[in-house]
Amino acid sequence: MPRTAVIDAATPRSHLPFSPAVRAGDLVFVSGQASVDETGQIVTDTFAGELARSMANVERILAAAGGSLDDVVQVRCYLGRWADRDEFNRLYPQYFATPYPARTTTAGGIGDLKFEVDVVAHLPIEGADR
């Protein structure tokens, strides 16, 4: 199955060798998004602030692919500290509605970041045979 990178002027950049997202058929795989600005520089903030910036990056990438958070079917969340899980669970419904996407949440191993997220979205190709 062919794959194409999802990149436009609105997608955040990284200095690392990966695409912000890759489309393969009806699926869009968004790479891990942290609290970075448009140039890929880390922006340190509170947990809630880093979560908000990370999710805004995901939203911009999905929009570039023709979708939104409503199209997400799987979410993988990485917390810098497990102690932030209660705040995370309170904030999560601001971004995703029921039925919630499948989700995995883990903590640690993301350096100085407080939050990182990657998602898989289902975006049917218009006009494709079903």
Side-chain angles (χ1 to χ4, degrees), residues 18-71:
F18 64 86
S19 299
V22 172
R23 182 175 196 130
D26 288 352
L27 298 176
V28 175
F29 300 85
V30 177
S31 295
Q33 296 300 308
S35 180
V36 298
D37 64 17
E38 294 74 20
T39 67
Q41 297 300 309
I42 294 172
V43 179
T44 304
D45 202 342
T46 63
F47 177 82
E50 288 196 21
L51 170 69
R53 183 176 290 272
S54 299
M55 293 305 299
N57 288 341
V58 170
E59 288 179 290
R60 281 196 294 278
I61 292 167
L62 289 173
S68 72
L69 291 176
D70 292 335
D71 300 305

Side-chain angles (χ1 to χ4, degrees), residues 77-97:
C77 306
Y78 309 91
L79 311 180
R81 302 174 325 131
W82 194 242
D84 290 324
R85 74 185 176 282
D86 290 339
E87 183 177 6
F88 170 65
N89 284 317
R90 278 192 304 275
L91 296 170
Y92 187 83
Q94 293 178 15
Y95 302 99
F96 299 103

